[in-house]
């Protein structure tokens, strides 16, 4: 008979831990939270010191009965939910249902699901940390107060189904503010002059720097003509040659936000997908004879700390694969996070550096493999020696005009042998070699290339860029980024267009009302301050009910004003020229998760909907009758099809262009990669690179 009952959140985690603990332990899954605030009402007694009214989550009755029955058969209960606020709250709710004593050491936490980590954790169970629980309760109640007090107001004054949220409202405002910046942006003209020069039979490029040793920006064509006239008949002479050795240091191991950003840049993963695949790797994967093993440490963390044991393993791997010159003179230590809970965490890393991606490939799905490889490479690189770059800067004069050529090459790759961090623009840093030169050398001029440019507006937020901004501003915490991005799309406040967030009309309307009546909720600094208060609750430095009271005092006043002064806004659906093919009534433009779509005005009697198609000005070459239009898949992804569908079955993920293939006359499409854009024929192998600014 088993001596102990162990409760975790998920069946996958239960399976992995069960194998480590043996027959003396029954391991069960609670399937996440078993108790929460009710959905049908606010569930918080504001007048009674913010007392929460928890109820059993619908459908969890049978799970609770199973856990209570198992409890009767054992002497001891261990609660092994995840090592964060949410996990602590799950454990606390479970202890309530199972009638565990308040000070009983029943809580077991581990940062990784490996045999050793699990066994060590069970040697040192602790009592439930009420500071952590109260931080979770405060966050939950705060979000409930905002959501359940503002949402009915929006339903009443604007439209049924709308909602507001503490973190999501700030995220939407960031996206709208950026859109306004883009719309108000006035491009400014500027010019560049590139000259192609030669020395010792080697050509290279130099760019205009300034006049008489002072930097100068070229604002218009008249200034450019002066420079080109000046250099037309004068010699180019090397003024100075500066050689420098520069060190490049590796990035820290992943935390939640940086993992989401890199997975977006390098793997094209949405934030929610990254967290889902990371959860699988954390909870355990079947590894041949080893059995089920958790492959990465806990994936919700803002700590870059790593254990000395992990460092030692990384050192062994680096020594074996690359040699001792790739090991830094002193082990790399990255900063710790604040807060007692997060400080117990490590960065996201492999549970064993010895399990390299090649050896794990047979056991992982394609998505698991790609994410595991990213995590493993980032961690190993973080423990490697810095890269050494040789940089060469050559200043060149031609009469009064100054030009500069810069080159760099990798002298010693160091960590770059394994991993280089991506960037939001997808541009790769390339080596630029310059020939050897000395001061006074005369250079041969080949070509002068003046170019006109215009300044660009700031880019729209991608998921990676938005997560980075939220983190920098201190809004939200590791566990909130992915759900926040999902929520603002599901509510129809923003839409993803070419992987960039754009606000919808509904999003702008709700944001406008929030700015007028609830400015604190949208204030990034106020929201970040609230996050710090919650951290102080977690650290035992602040009373959670005091934090709630401070927020609610001014919030209640705002609610009263909004109730009185917010005008009712009737949103008129825009009538389209399209007629419903099912009932003959006019179709209306509606706003959905992926932007606008058409819906029948006869709703609810007629529920016909269809996507809005956009003609891209290209004739279909498959049927020679229809035109190519832009459509959306059920998941919101843009694709291209023929207007004669279903008779014509032409479909393409790549955008067709109004230009026939010069080789065979076939349909050309635009293919975009992180590095470049090219036009490519769908029939023959013709390709053409497209020059980008």
């Amino acid at each position: 008979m088993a001596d102990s009952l162990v409760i975790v959140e998920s069946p996958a985690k239960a399976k992995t831990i069960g194998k480590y603990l043996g027959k003396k332990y029954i391991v069960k899954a609670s399937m996440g939270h078993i108790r929460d605030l009710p959905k049908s009402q606010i569930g918080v007694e504001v007048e009674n010191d913010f007392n929460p009214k928890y109820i059993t989550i619908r459908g969890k009755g049978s799970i609770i009965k199973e856990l209570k029955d198992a409890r009767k058969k054992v002497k001891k209960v261990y609660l092994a939910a995840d090592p964060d606020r949410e996990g602590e709250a799950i454990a606390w709710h479970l202890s309530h249902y199972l009638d565990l004593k308040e000070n009983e050491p029943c809580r077991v936490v581990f940062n990784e699901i490996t045999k050793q980590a699990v066994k060590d954790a069970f040697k040192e169970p602790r009592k439930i940390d009420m500071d952590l629980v109260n931080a979770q309760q405060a966050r939950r109640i705060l979000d409930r107060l905002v959501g359940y007090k503002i949402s009915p107001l929006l339903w009443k004054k604007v439209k049924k189904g709308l909602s507001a949220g503490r973190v999501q409202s700030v995220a939407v405002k960031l996206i709208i503010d950026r859109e306004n910046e883009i719309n108000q942006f006035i491009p400014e003209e500027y010019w560049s002059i590139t000259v192609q020069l030669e020395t010792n039979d080697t050509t290279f490029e130099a760019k205009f720097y300034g006049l008489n040793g002072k930097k100068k920006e070229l604002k218009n064509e008249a200034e450019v003509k002066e420079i080109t006239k000046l250099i037309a008949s004068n010699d180019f002479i090397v003024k100075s040659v500066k050689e420098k050795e520069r060190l490049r240091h590796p990035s820290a191991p992943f935390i939640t936000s940086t993992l989401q950003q890199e997975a977006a840049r390098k793997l094209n993963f949405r934030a929610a997908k990254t967290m889902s695949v990371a959860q699988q790797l954390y909870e355990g994967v079947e590894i041949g004879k080893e059995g089920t093993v958790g492959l990465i440490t806990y994936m919700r963390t803002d700590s870059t700390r790593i254990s000395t044991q992990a460092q030692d393993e990384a050192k062994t791997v680096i020594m074996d694969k690359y040699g001792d010159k790739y090991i830094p003179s002193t082990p790399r230590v990255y900063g710790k996070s604040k807060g007692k809970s997060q400080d117990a965490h490590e960065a996201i890393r492999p549970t064993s550096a010895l399990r390299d991606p090649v050896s794990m490939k047979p056991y992982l799905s394609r998505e698991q493999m790609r994410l595991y490889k990213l995590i493993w490479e980032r961690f190993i690189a973080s423990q490697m020696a810095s890269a050494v770059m040789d940089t060469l800067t050559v200043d060149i004069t031609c009469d009064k005009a100054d030009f500069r050529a810069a080159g760099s090459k990798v002298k010693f790759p160091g960590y770059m042998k394994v991993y280089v961090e991506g960037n939001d623009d997808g541009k790769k840093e390339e080596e630029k070699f310059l020939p050897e030169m000395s001061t006074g050398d005369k250079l041969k001029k080949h070509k002068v290339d003046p170019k006109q440019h215009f300044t660009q507006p700031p880019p729209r937020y991608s998921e990676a860029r938005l997560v980075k901004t939220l983190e920098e501003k201190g809004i939200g915490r590791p566990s909130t980024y992915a759900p926040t991005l999902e929520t603002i799309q599901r509510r129809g406040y923003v839409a993803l267009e070419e992987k960039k967030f754009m606000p919808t009309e509904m999003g702008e309307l709700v944001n406008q009302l929030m700015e007028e009546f609830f400015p604190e909720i949208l204030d990034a600094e106020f929201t970040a301050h609230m996050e710090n208060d919650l951290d102080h609750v977690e650290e035992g430095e602040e009373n959670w009910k005091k934090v709630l009271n401070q927020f609610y005092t001014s919030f209640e006043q705002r609610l009263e004003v909004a109730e009185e002064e917010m005008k009712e806004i009737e949103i008129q659906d825009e009538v389209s020229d399209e007629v419903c093919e099912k009932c003959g009534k006019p179709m209306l433009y509606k706003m959905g998760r992926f932007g606008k779509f058409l819906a029948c005005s006869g709703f609810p009697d007629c529920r016909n909907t269809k996507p809005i198609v956009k003609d891209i000005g290209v004739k279909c070459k498959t049927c020679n009758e229809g035109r190519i239009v832009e459509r959306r898949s059920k998941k919101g992804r843009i694709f291209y099809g023929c207007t004669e569908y279903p008779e014509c079955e032409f479909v393409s993920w790549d955008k067709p262009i109004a230009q026939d293939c010069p080789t065979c006359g076939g349909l050309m499409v635009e293919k975009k990669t992180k590095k470049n854009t090219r036009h490519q024929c769908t029939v023959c192998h013709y390709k053409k690179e497209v020059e980008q600014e």
Side-chain angles (χ1 to χ4, degrees):
M1 182 181 160
D3 293 334
S4 305
L5 169 65
V6 181
I7 304 173
V8 296
E9 297 100 322
S10 74
K13 193 172 171 183
K15 184 183 168 190
T16 309
I17 289 168
K19 287 188 177 179
Y20 297 154
L21 294 176
K23 292 178 182 176
K24 288 191 175 182
Y25 294 83
I26 301 170
V27 186
K28 298 272 185 189
S30 69
M31 308 301 287
H33 279 277
I34 53 165
R35 194 168 75 148
D36 197 7
L37 299 172
K39 285 186 177 178
S40 56
Q41 53 179 277
I42 192 164
V44 180
E45 296 173 348
V46 175
E47 307 303 323
N48 187 17
D49 211 11
F50 299 96
N51 190 46
K53 298 195 299 189
Y54 293 115
I55 61 162
T56 305
I57 294 169
R58 185 179 286 178
K60 291 291 179 87
S62 58
I63 292 171
I64 292 167
K65 184 180 183 305
E66 188 186 329
L67 296 176
K68 281 185 171 179
D69 289 345
R71 162 83 175 100
K72 291 171 190 170
K73 298 173 188 173
V74 296
K75 297 174 189 170
K76 182 81 183 157
V77 177
Y78 293 102
L79 305 172
D82 286 343
D84 56 13
R85 291 175 188 171
E86 217 61 43
E88 206 71 19
I90 289 172
W92 179 64
H93 288 304
L94 282 165
S95 72
H96 167 84
Y97 275 107
L98 300 174
D99 295 322
L100 301 185
K101 289 173 186 167
E102 197 174 309
N103 289 321
E104 191 169 334
C106 60
R107 181 77 170 111
V108 173
V109 289
F110 31 78
N111 197 45
E112 58 186 66
I113 305 177
T114 57
K115 195 169 189 175
Q116 193 59 47
V118 169
K119 290 202 164 185
D120 287 349
F122 274 85
K123 287 175 190 170
E124 294 181 16
R126 60 167 172 78
K127 63 181 186 179
I128 288 169
D129 185 335
M130 286 311 295
D131 291 335
L132 268 174
V133 173
N134 290 336
Q136 189 274 344
Q137 287 196 97
R139 176 187 286 281
R140 186 80 187 91
I141 292 168
L142 262 177
D143 291 342
R144 176 57 66 104
L145 291 172
V146 171
Y148 274 57
K149 291 284 187 180
I150 299 179
S151 299
L153 201 58
L154 294 173
W155 284 43
K156 189 167 134 188
K157 306 281 188 178
V158 187
K159 186 186 177 186
K160 208 170 180 184
L162 295 181
S163 71
R166 203 170 52 85
V167 177
Q168 75 180 52
S169 296
V170 183
V172 172
K173 184 179 187 300
L174 285 171
I175 292 163
I176 290 170
D177 287 350
R178 177 56 55 91
E179 197 67 23
N180 292 338
E181 275 183 76
I182 292 166
N183 293 335
Q184 290 159 18
F185 182 81
I186 299 165
E188 287 182 18
E189 180 186 14
Y190 70 99
W191 287 71
S192 66
I193 304 171
T194 306
V195 290
Q196 200 176 70
L197 302 168
E198 185 188 323
T199 182
N200 300 325
D201 298 327
T202 307
T203 57
F204 65 96
E205 286 184 346
K207 288 188 183 283
F208 175 75
Y209 176 79
L211 289 170
N212 297 317
K214 288 184 181 175
K215 192 169 173 59
K216 178 175 172 58
E217 303 289 340
L218 298 172
K219 299 286 186 189
N220 52 54
E221 196 174 5
E223 290 181 351
V224 171
K225 281 181 175 174
E226 276 183 44
I227 306 296
T228 50
K229 190 177 173 185
L230 186 71
I231 64 176
S233 54
N234 284 298
D235 292 331
F236 281 81
I237 310 290
V238 176
K239 183 181 176 184
S240 68
V241 179
K242 290 175 193 160
E243 286 185 71
K244 267 189 185 175
E245 204 175 74
R246 185 167 58 91
L247 291 179
R248 274 185 66 176
H249 306 298
S251 302
F254 283 130
I255 58 174
T256 306
S257 59
T258 54
L259 176 65
Q260 289 176 5
Q261 289 163 46
E262 274 293 79
R265 294 177 192 127
K266 291 194 169 182
L267 310 180
N268 218 6
F269 280 12
R270 301 277 305 279
K273 183 177 180 177
T274 299
M275 295 312 285
S276 168
V277 177
Q279 184 94 31
Q280 295 161 22
L281 294 172
Y282 165 70
E283 290 189 340
V285 176
E286 199 77 33
I287 307 293
K289 290 176 184 175
E290 258 193 281
T292 310
V293 179
L295 290 184
I296 63 167
T297 52
Y298 191 53
M299 63 283 155
R300 290 186 185 93
T301 176
D302 53 14
S303 168
T304 51
R305 187 182 70 81
I306 58 165
S307 68
T308 49
Q309 184 192 342
Q311 276 189 324
D312 292 342
E313 271 197 0
K315 188 176 177 180
T316 304
V317 169
I318 296 161
M319 182 78 83
D320 289 350
K321 282 181 179 286
Y322 308 106
D324 58 2
K325 63 181 178 178
Y326 283 87
I327 293 169
S329 52
T330 54
R332 293 196 182 277
V333 177
Y334 296 95
K336 291 183 181 182
S337 67
K338 297 169 188 168
K340 61 180 178 184
S341 135
Q342 303 309 74
D343 199 39
H345 290 180
E346 287 188 54
I348 303 167
R349 61 163 178 83
T351 52
S352 171
L354 303 173
R355 294 191 194 98
D356 64 17
V358 175
S359 63
M360 291 298 102
K361 193 172 183 180
Y363 312 112
L364 303 179
S365 69
R366 182 173 181 269
E367 288 174 350
Q368 288 171 340
M369 175 62 191
R370 293 178 75 204
L371 193 65
Y372 182 71
K373 184 171 184 281
L374 192 74
I375 293 166
W376 187 90
E377 287 177 350
R378 172 81 163 222
F379 169 63
I380 293 295
S382 76
Q383 297 305 303
M384 290 176 76
S386 300
V388 183
M389 312 293 288
D390 268 344
T391 62
L392 187 65
T393 306
V394 182
D395 284 324
I396 299 156
T397 59
C398 181
D399 198 354
K400 296 175 189 171
D402 297 308
F403 287 78
R404 180 168 282 181
S408 68
K409 60 182 178 182
V410 178
K411 186 177 182 181
F412 171 65
Y415 76 93
M416 291 167 68
K417 190 106 175 158
V418 176
Y419 177 91
V420 178
E421 188 173 23
N423 59 58
D424 288 320
D425 305 314
K427 289 176 184 170
K428 275 196 170 180
E429 198 175 311
E430 291 176 12
E431 287 192 337
K432 280 188 181 175
F433 292 97
L434 287 180
E436 279 191 28
M437 283 175 268
S438 304
T439 305
D441 282 359
K442 194 173 173 183
L443 306 169
K444 191 177 175 183
K445 178 180 71 181
H446 278 293
K447 187 181 167 188
V448 177
D449 185 16
K451 267 189 185 169
Q452 183 187 35
H453 309 271
F454 290 94
T455 53
Q456 298 295 309
R460 288 190 177 104
Y461 285 108
S462 61
E463 280 204 345
R465 220 183 273 266
L466 187 58
V467 166
K468 188 177 181 183
T469 306
L470 290 170
E471 185 197 21
E472 284 170 352
K473 289 181 178 288
I475 299 159
R477 285 297 179 261
S479 58
T480 62
Y481 300 131
T484 298
L485 302 190
E486 290 296 300
T487 303
I488 60 177
Q489 290 174 79
R490 196 170 58 247
R491 297 269 151 81
Y493 295 158
V494 300
L496 268 181
E497 293 280 342
E498 295 184 346
K499 297 179 188 170
K500 300 286 193 296
F501 283 117
M502 288 182 71
T504 62
E505 290 161 38
M506 184 60 73
E508 288 180 341
L509 174 61
V510 171
N511 181 72
Q512 200 178 322
L513 292 170
M514 292 288 289
E515 276 196 315
E516 188 179 343
F517 294 100
F518 301 99
E520 291 95 345
I521 302 290
L522 294 186
D523 181 15
E525 282 186 27
F526 177 82
T527 308
H529 180 70
M530 286 300 308
E531 294 291 358
N532 285 331
D533 283 349
L534 293 173
D535 288 346
H536 292 147
V537 170
E538 183 176 319
E539 287 149 22
E541 294 170 8
E542 193 77 76
N543 180 285
W544 68 290
K545 292 192 173 180
K546 182 184 164 194
V547 169
L548 289 171
N549 193 50
Q550 283 170 346
F551 167 78
Y552 196 73
T553 305
S554 60
F555 180 61
E556 193 175 30
Q557 291 167 1
R558 293 275 186 199
L559 278 168
E560 286 170 12
V561 172
E563 190 72 55
E564 288 290 317
E565 297 181 13
M566 192 185 282
K567 293 182 176 68
E568 285 193 31
I569 299 166
E570 195 177 338
I571 299 174
Q572 294 288 343
D573 287 315
E574 191 183 339
V575 182
S576 75
D577 297 331
E578 301 244 3
V579 173
C580 176
E581 64 271 22
K582 291 187 178 176
C583 71
K585 288 183 178 172
M587 299 286 277
L588 305 173
Y589 288 113
K590 295 272 187 183
M591 184 55 72
R593 183 179 175 185
F594 301 115
K596 283 186 175 178
F597 66 97
L598 288 166
C600 182
S601 57
F603 181 86
D605 299 324
C606 178
R607 294 175 177 266
N608 185 28
T609 62
K610 56 184 182 180
I612 296 168
V613 294
K614 190 161 88 182
D615 193 320
I616 62 166
V618 179
K619 195 177 176 189
C620 179
K621 283 185 170 288
T622 304
C623 65
N624 288 318
E625 289 180 21
R627 297 187 64 73
I628 308 262
V629 289
E630 181 184 294
R631 299 179 184 272
R632 278 190 184 273
S633 69
K634 284 182 180 175
K635 290 189 174 179
R637 189 176 168 192
I638 290 172
F639 70 98
Y640 302 90
C642 179
T643 50
E644 297 301 304
Y645 175 83
E647 284 75 23
C648 176
E649 294 183 351
F650 170 80
V651 69
S652 169
W653 290 114
D654 300 310
K655 186 177 181 178
I657 60 170
Q659 177 188 330
D660 293 344
C661 173
T663 308
C664 72
L667 179 74
M668 297 276 284
V669 294
E670 184 177 85
K671 278 194 172 286
K672 284 187 176 181
T673 66
K674 285 185 178 179
K675 294 179 189 172
N676 58 22
T677 301
R678 67 176 184 271
H679 291 163
Q680 187 171 319
C681 179
T682 54
V683 182
C684 69
H685 297 294
Y686 175 79
K687 289 177 191 171
K688 181 191 174 187
E689 292 282 327
V690 180
E691 209 172 291
Q692 292 184 90
E693 276 278 308

